[in-house]
PDB file of all heavy atoms in Angstrom:
ATOM      1  N   MET A   1    -139.317 -35.788 -32.178  1.00  0.00           N
ATOM      2  CA  MET A   1    -139.425 -35.428 -33.578  1.00  0.00           C
ATOM      3  C   MET A   1    -140.699 -35.988 -34.186  1.00  0.00           C
ATOM      4  O   MET A   1    -141.338 -35.337 -34.975  1.00  0.00           O
ATOM      5  CB  MET A   1    -138.190 -35.947 -34.321  1.00  0.00           C
ATOM      6  CG  MET A   1    -138.160 -35.543 -35.761  1.00  0.00           C
ATOM      7  SD  MET A   1    -137.656 -33.817 -35.851  1.00  0.00           S
ATOM      8  CE  MET A   1    -137.402 -33.666 -37.558  1.00  0.00           C
ATOM      9  N   ASP A   9    -148.120 -32.775 -40.056  1.00  0.00           N
ATOM     10  CA  ASP A   9    -148.980 -33.525 -40.968  1.00  0.00           C
ATOM     11  C   ASP A   9    -150.432 -33.109 -40.804  1.00  0.00           C
ATOM     12  O   ASP A   9    -151.151 -32.947 -41.776  1.00  0.00           O
ATOM     13  CB  ASP A   9    -148.841 -35.033 -40.734  1.00  0.00           C
ATOM     14  CG  ASP A   9    -147.472 -35.555 -41.146  1.00  0.00           C
ATOM     15  OD1 ASP A   9    -146.761 -34.838 -41.881  1.00  0.00           O
ATOM     16  OD2 ASP A   9    -147.120 -36.663 -40.717  1.00  0.00           O
ATOM     17  N   ARG A  12    -150.873 -29.683 -42.418  1.00  0.00           N
ATOM     18  CA  ARG A  12    -150.930 -29.749 -43.874  1.00  0.00           C
ATOM     19  C   ARG A  12    -152.229 -30.367 -44.370  1.00  0.00           C
ATOM     20  O   ARG A  12    -152.684 -30.082 -45.454  1.00  0.00           O
ATOM     21  CB  ARG A  12    -149.735 -30.539 -44.401  1.00  0.00           C
ATOM     22  CG  ARG A  12    -148.475 -29.722 -44.402  1.00  0.00           C
ATOM     23  CD  ARG A  12    -147.348 -30.489 -45.070  1.00  0.00           C
ATOM     24  NE  ARG A  12    -146.097 -29.999 -44.564  1.00  0.00           N
ATOM     25  CZ  ARG A  12    -145.480 -30.456 -43.502  1.00  0.00           C
ATOM     26  NH1 ARG A  12    -145.974 -31.432 -42.808  1.00  0.00           N
ATOM     27  NH2 ARG A  12    -144.339 -29.932 -43.107  1.00  0.00           N
ATOM     28  N   HIS A  15    -156.615 -29.846 -40.887  1.00  0.00           N
ATOM     29  CA  HIS A  15    -157.405 -30.246 -39.727  1.00  0.00           C
ATOM     30  C   HIS A  15    -156.819 -29.622 -38.471  1.00  0.00           C
ATOM     31  O   HIS A  15    -155.623 -29.467 -38.350  1.00  0.00           O
ATOM     32  CB  HIS A  15    -157.413 -31.771 -39.571  1.00  0.00           C
ATOM     33  CG  HIS A  15    -158.167 -32.464 -40.635  1.00  0.00           C
ATOM     34  ND1 HIS A  15    -157.632 -32.691 -41.877  1.00  0.00           N
ATOM     35  CD2 HIS A  15    -159.431 -32.959 -40.660  1.00  0.00           C
ATOM     36  CE1 HIS A  15    -158.527 -33.326 -42.625  1.00  0.00           C
ATOM     37  NE2 HIS A  15    -159.620 -33.489 -41.909  1.00  0.00           N
ATOM     38  N   ALA A  20    -162.128 -30.274 -39.779  1.00  0.00           N
ATOM     39  CA  ALA A  20    -161.661 -29.621 -40.997  1.00  0.00           C
ATOM     40  C   ALA A  20    -161.751 -28.107 -40.825  1.00  0.00           C
ATOM     41  O   ALA A  20    -162.670 -27.601 -40.190  1.00  0.00           O
ATOM     42  CB  ALA A  20    -162.494 -30.073 -42.195  1.00  0.00           C
ATOM     43  N   CYS A  21    -160.772 -27.398 -41.371  1.00  0.00           N
ATOM     44  CA  CYS A  21    -160.794 -25.942 -41.277  1.00  0.00           C
ATOM     45  C   CYS A  21    -160.247 -25.333 -42.558  1.00  0.00           C
ATOM     46  O   CYS A  21    -159.648 -26.014 -43.368  1.00  0.00           O
ATOM     47  CB  CYS A  21    -160.001 -25.470 -40.059  1.00  0.00           C
ATOM     48  SG  CYS A  21    -158.268 -25.915 -40.091  1.00  0.00           S
ATOM     49  N   ILE A  24    -155.427 -20.105 -45.051  1.00  0.00           N
ATOM     50  CA  ILE A  24    -154.918 -19.080 -45.951  1.00  0.00           C
ATOM     51  C   ILE A  24    -153.409 -19.269 -46.006  1.00  0.00           C
ATOM     52  O   ILE A  24    -152.811 -19.806 -45.066  1.00  0.00           O
ATOM     53  CB  ILE A  24    -155.293 -17.655 -45.490  1.00  0.00           C
ATOM     54  CG1 ILE A  24    -154.788 -17.376 -44.065  1.00  0.00           C
ATOM     55  CG2 ILE A  24    -156.804 -17.447 -45.592  1.00  0.00           C
ATOM     56  CD1 ILE A  24    -154.980 -15.940 -43.613  1.00  0.00           C
ATOM     57  N   GLY A  28    -143.530 -18.672 -51.387  1.00  0.00           N
ATOM     58  CA  GLY A  28    -142.562 -18.079 -52.300  1.00  0.00           C
ATOM     59  C   GLY A  28    -142.423 -16.572 -52.186  1.00  0.00           C
ATOM     60  O   GLY A  28    -142.010 -15.921 -53.134  1.00  0.00           O
ATOM     61  N   VAL A  30    -140.275 -13.795 -51.440  1.00  0.00           N
ATOM     62  CA  VAL A  30    -138.820 -13.648 -51.324  1.00  0.00           C
ATOM     63  C   VAL A  30    -138.501 -12.191 -51.013  1.00  0.00           C
ATOM     64  O   VAL A  30    -138.915 -11.286 -51.743  1.00  0.00           O
ATOM     65  CB  VAL A  30    -138.102 -14.099 -52.613  1.00  0.00           C
ATOM     66  CG1 VAL A  30    -136.593 -13.869 -52.506  1.00  0.00           C
ATOM     67  CG2 VAL A  30    -138.400 -15.570 -52.903  1.00  0.00           C
ATOM     68  N   VAL A  44    -125.138  -7.180 -44.214  1.00  0.00           N
ATOM     69  CA  VAL A  44    -125.644  -7.426 -45.567  1.00  0.00           C
ATOM     70  C   VAL A  44    -127.029  -8.070 -45.470  1.00  0.00           C
ATOM     71  O   VAL A  44    -127.443  -8.512 -44.408  1.00  0.00           O
ATOM     72  CB  VAL A  44    -124.699  -8.347 -46.377  1.00  0.00           C
ATOM     73  CG1 VAL A  44    -123.330  -7.702 -46.550  1.00  0.00           C
ATOM     74  CG2 VAL A  44    -124.563  -9.710 -45.734  1.00  0.00           C
ATOM     75  N   PHE A  50    -140.248 -17.143 -47.842  1.00  0.00           N
ATOM     76  CA  PHE A  50    -141.185 -17.404 -46.756  1.00  0.00           C
ATOM     77  C   PHE A  50    -142.412 -18.139 -47.266  1.00  0.00           C
ATOM     78  O   PHE A  50    -142.963 -17.789 -48.311  1.00  0.00           O
ATOM     79  CB  PHE A  50    -141.650 -16.090 -46.115  1.00  0.00           C
ATOM     80  CG  PHE A  50    -140.539 -15.309 -45.495  1.00  0.00           C
ATOM     81  CD1 PHE A  50    -139.832 -14.372 -46.232  1.00  0.00           C
ATOM     82  CD2 PHE A  50    -140.186 -15.514 -44.172  1.00  0.00           C
ATOM     83  CE1 PHE A  50    -138.804 -13.651 -45.665  1.00  0.00           C
ATOM     84  CE2 PHE A  50    -139.151 -14.796 -43.596  1.00  0.00           C
ATOM     85  CZ  PHE A  50    -138.460 -13.859 -44.344  1.00  0.00           C
ATOM     86  N   ALA A  57    -160.048 -20.364 -37.689  1.00  0.00           N
ATOM     87  CA  ALA A  57    -161.020 -20.944 -36.761  1.00  0.00           C
ATOM     88  C   ALA A  57    -162.324 -21.302 -37.473  1.00  0.00           C
ATOM     89  O   ALA A  57    -162.751 -20.617 -38.405  1.00  0.00           O
ATOM     90  CB  ALA A  57    -161.309 -19.967 -35.621  1.00  0.00           C
ATOM     91  N   GLY A  64    -170.494 -11.063 -45.383  1.00  0.00           N
ATOM     92  CA  GLY A  64    -170.889  -9.973 -46.265  1.00  0.00           C
ATOM     93  C   GLY A  64    -169.884  -9.700 -47.364  1.00  0.00           C
ATOM     94  O   GLY A  64    -169.874  -8.623 -47.936  1.00  0.00           O
ATOM     95  N   ILE A  67    -163.379  -8.049 -46.700  1.00  0.00           N
ATOM     96  CA  ILE A  67    -162.053  -8.516 -46.286  1.00  0.00           C
ATOM     97  C   ILE A  67    -161.857  -8.435 -44.767  1.00  0.00           C
ATOM     98  O   ILE A  67    -161.173  -9.261 -44.178  1.00  0.00           O
ATOM     99  CB  ILE A  67    -160.930  -7.745 -47.023  1.00  0.00           C
ATOM    100  CG1 ILE A  67    -159.558  -8.383 -46.790  1.00  0.00           C
ATOM    101  CG2 ILE A  67    -160.893  -6.290 -46.616  1.00  0.00           C
ATOM    102  CD1 ILE A  67    -159.318  -9.619 -47.569  1.00  0.00           C
ATOM    103  N   ALA A  79    -147.343  -9.656 -41.435  1.00  0.00           N
ATOM    104  CA  ALA A  79    -146.676 -10.239 -40.272  1.00  0.00           C
ATOM    105  C   ALA A  79    -145.188 -10.447 -40.550  1.00  0.00           C
ATOM    106  O   ALA A  79    -144.336 -10.117 -39.724  1.00  0.00           O
ATOM    107  CB  ALA A  79    -147.341 -11.555 -39.871  1.00  0.00           C
ATOM    108  N   LEU A  84    -139.531  -8.334 -39.874  1.00  0.00           N
ATOM    109  CA  LEU A  84    -138.285  -7.931 -40.529  1.00  0.00           C
ATOM    110  C   LEU A  84    -137.938  -6.473 -40.257  1.00  0.00           C
ATOM    111  O   LEU A  84    -136.759  -6.106 -40.250  1.00  0.00           O
ATOM    112  CB  LEU A  84    -138.381  -8.157 -42.040  1.00  0.00           C
ATOM    113  CG  LEU A  84    -138.538  -9.602 -42.490  1.00  0.00           C
ATOM    114  CD1 LEU A  84    -138.633  -9.675 -44.009  1.00  0.00           C
ATOM    115  CD2 LEU A  84    -137.416 -10.475 -41.975  1.00  0.00           C
ATOM    116  N   LEU A  91    -130.887 -16.005 -36.095  1.00  0.00           N
ATOM    117  CA  LEU A  91    -131.282 -17.375 -36.439  1.00  0.00           C
ATOM    118  C   LEU A  91    -132.581 -17.438 -37.240  1.00  0.00           C
ATOM    119  O   LEU A  91    -133.540 -16.728 -36.920  1.00  0.00           O
ATOM    120  CB  LEU A  91    -131.455 -18.206 -35.165  1.00  0.00           C
ATOM    121  CG  LEU A  91    -130.255 -18.294 -34.233  1.00  0.00           C
ATOM    122  CD1 LEU A  91    -130.638 -19.017 -32.948  1.00  0.00           C
ATOM    123  CD2 LEU A  91    -129.093 -18.996 -34.924  1.00  0.00           C
ATOM    124  N   ARG A  98    -140.971 -15.700 -34.394  1.00  0.00           N
ATOM    125  CA  ARG A  98    -141.561 -14.351 -34.288  1.00  0.00           C
ATOM    126  C   ARG A  98    -142.695 -14.164 -35.294  1.00  0.00           C
ATOM    127  O   ARG A  98    -143.709 -13.531 -34.982  1.00  0.00           O
ATOM    128  CB  ARG A  98    -140.481 -13.291 -34.469  1.00  0.00           C
ATOM    129  CG  ARG A  98    -139.541 -13.228 -33.287  1.00  0.00           C
ATOM    130  CD  ARG A  98    -138.460 -12.197 -33.470  1.00  0.00           C
ATOM    131  NE  ARG A  98    -137.529 -12.228 -32.345  1.00  0.00           N
ATOM    132  CZ  ARG A  98    -136.379 -11.570 -32.316  1.00  0.00           C
ATOM    133  NH1 ARG A  98    -136.012 -10.812 -33.338  1.00  0.00           N
ATOM    134  NH2 ARG A  98    -135.598 -11.664 -31.258  1.00  0.00           N
ATOM    135  N   ARG A 102    -146.656 -13.511 -34.331  1.00  0.00           N
ATOM    136  CA  ARG A 102    -147.369 -12.360 -34.916  1.00  0.00           C
ATOM    137  C   ARG A 102    -148.667 -12.819 -35.578  1.00  0.00           C
ATOM    138  O   ARG A 102    -149.706 -12.180 -35.430  1.00  0.00           O
ATOM    139  CB  ARG A 102    -146.452 -11.673 -35.921  1.00  0.00           C
ATOM    140  CG  ARG A 102    -146.995 -10.431 -36.508  1.00  0.00           C
ATOM    141  CD  ARG A 102    -146.442  -9.263 -35.779  1.00  0.00           C
ATOM    142  NE  ARG A 102    -146.993  -8.056 -36.357  1.00  0.00           N
ATOM    143  CZ  ARG A 102    -146.628  -6.871 -35.967  1.00  0.00           C
ATOM    144  NH1 ARG A 102    -145.731  -6.736 -35.033  1.00  0.00           N
ATOM    145  NH2 ARG A 102    -147.167  -5.816 -36.498  1.00  0.00           N
ATOM    146  N   CYS A 103    -148.615 -13.922 -36.304  1.00  0.00           N
ATOM    147  CA  CYS A 103    -149.816 -14.448 -36.960  1.00  0.00           C
ATOM    148  C   CYS A 103    -150.851 -14.893 -35.929  1.00  0.00           C
ATOM    149  O   CYS A 103    -152.050 -14.635 -36.086  1.00  0.00           O
ATOM    150  CB  CYS A 103    -149.460 -15.619 -37.874  1.00  0.00           C
ATOM    151  SG  CYS A 103    -148.501 -15.147 -39.321  1.00  0.00           S
ATOM    152  N   ASP A 106    -153.720 -12.799 -34.125  1.00  0.00           N
ATOM    153  CA  ASP A 106    -155.082 -12.726 -34.669  1.00  0.00           C
ATOM    154  C   ASP A 106    -155.846 -13.919 -34.120  1.00  0.00           C
ATOM    155  O   ASP A 106    -155.550 -15.067 -34.449  1.00  0.00           O
ATOM    156  CB  ASP A 106    -155.042 -12.766 -36.196  1.00  0.00           C
ATOM    157  CG  ASP A 106    -156.403 -12.574 -36.840  1.00  0.00           C
ATOM    158  OD1 ASP A 106    -157.429 -12.966 -36.236  1.00  0.00           O
ATOM    159  OD2 ASP A 106    -156.440 -12.044 -37.963  1.00  0.00           O
ATOM    160  N   ILE A 109    -156.984 -17.065 -36.091  1.00  0.00           N
ATOM    161  CA  ILE A 109    -156.029 -18.069 -36.567  1.00  0.00           C
ATOM    162  C   ILE A 109    -155.768 -19.054 -35.438  1.00  0.00           C
ATOM    163  O   ILE A 109    -155.398 -18.660 -34.330  1.00  0.00           O
ATOM    164  CB  ILE A 109    -154.729 -17.405 -37.054  1.00  0.00           C
ATOM    165  CG1 ILE A 109    -155.048 -16.555 -38.291  1.00  0.00           C
ATOM    166  CG2 ILE A 109    -153.665 -18.443 -37.340  1.00  0.00           C
ATOM    167  CD1 ILE A 109    -153.878 -15.763 -38.820  1.00  0.00           C
ATOM    168  N   LEU A 113    -148.199 -22.560 -39.801  1.00  0.00           N
ATOM    169  CA  LEU A 113    -146.963 -23.192 -40.265  1.00  0.00           C
ATOM    170  C   LEU A 113    -146.124 -22.081 -40.879  1.00  0.00           C
ATOM    171  O   LEU A 113    -146.645 -21.302 -41.695  1.00  0.00           O
ATOM    172  CB  LEU A 113    -147.272 -24.258 -41.310  1.00  0.00           C
ATOM    173  CG  LEU A 113    -146.082 -24.941 -41.976  1.00  0.00           C
ATOM    174  CD1 LEU A 113    -146.433 -26.372 -42.324  1.00  0.00           C
ATOM    175  CD2 LEU A 113    -145.576 -24.206 -43.204  1.00  0.00           C
ATOM    176  N   VAL A 116    -139.023 -20.798 -43.328  1.00  0.00           N
ATOM    177  CA  VAL A 116    -138.062 -19.755 -43.666  1.00  0.00           C
ATOM    178  C   VAL A 116    -136.885 -20.438 -44.357  1.00  0.00           C
ATOM    179  O   VAL A 116    -136.272 -21.337 -43.788  1.00  0.00           O
ATOM    180  CB  VAL A 116    -137.578 -19.007 -42.399  1.00  0.00           C
ATOM    181  CG1 VAL A 116    -136.531 -17.965 -42.760  1.00  0.00           C
ATOM    182  CG2 VAL A 116    -138.753 -18.376 -41.667  1.00  0.00           C
ATOM    183  N   LYS A 118    -133.269 -19.700 -46.422  1.00  0.00           N
ATOM    184  CA  LYS A 118    -132.209 -18.847 -46.941  1.00  0.00           C
ATOM    185  C   LYS A 118    -131.824 -19.392 -48.318  1.00  0.00           C
ATOM    186  O   LYS A 118    -131.544 -20.582 -48.457  1.00  0.00           O
ATOM    187  CB  LYS A 118    -130.996 -18.877 -46.016  1.00  0.00           C
ATOM    188  CG  LYS A 118    -131.230 -18.215 -44.671  1.00  0.00           C
ATOM    189  CD  LYS A 118    -130.087 -18.551 -43.735  1.00  0.00           C
ATOM    190  CE  LYS A 118    -129.330 -17.337 -43.337  1.00  0.00           C
ATOM    191  NZ  LYS A 118    -128.179 -17.670 -42.473  1.00  0.00           N
ATOM    192  N   VAL A 126    -131.617 -23.508 -47.440  1.00  0.00           N
ATOM    193  CA  VAL A 126    -131.492 -24.077 -46.101  1.00  0.00           C
ATOM    194  C   VAL A 126    -132.441 -23.295 -45.211  1.00  0.00           C
ATOM    195  O   VAL A 126    -132.737 -22.130 -45.464  1.00  0.00           O
ATOM    196  CB  VAL A 126    -130.051 -23.985 -45.548  1.00  0.00           C
ATOM    197  CG1 VAL A 126    -129.092 -24.815 -46.377  1.00  0.00           C
ATOM    198  CG2 VAL A 126    -129.572 -22.537 -45.477  1.00  0.00           C
ATOM    199  N   ARG A 134    -152.444 -22.361 -31.547  1.00  0.00           N
ATOM    200  CA  ARG A 134    -152.855 -21.346 -30.574  1.00  0.00           C
ATOM    201  C   ARG A 134    -152.855 -22.015 -29.206  1.00  0.00           C
ATOM    202  O   ARG A 134    -153.413 -23.073 -29.035  1.00  0.00           O
ATOM    203  CB  ARG A 134    -154.250 -20.833 -30.907  1.00  0.00           C
ATOM    204  CG  ARG A 134    -154.835 -19.941 -29.799  1.00  0.00           C
ATOM    205  CD  ARG A 134    -156.051 -19.192 -30.240  1.00  0.00           C
ATOM    206  NE  ARG A 134    -155.795 -18.344 -31.391  1.00  0.00           N
ATOM    207  CZ  ARG A 134    -154.984 -17.268 -31.392  1.00  0.00           C
ATOM    208  NH1 ARG A 134    -154.362 -16.924 -30.292  1.00  0.00           N
ATOM    209  NH2 ARG A 134    -154.800 -16.556 -32.478  1.00  0.00           N
TER     210      ARG A 134
END
Side-chain angles (χ1 to χ4, degrees):
M1 184 77 170
D9 292 344
R12 282 186 205 89
H15 291 80
C21 61
I24 57 173
V30 177
V44 298
F50 298 90
I67 190 76
L84 296 179
L91 303 174
R98 289 179 184 170
R102 185 98 181 184
C103 291
D106 185 330
I109 295 176
L113 175 148
V116 177
K118 292 168 117 183
V126 296
R134 170 167 302 294

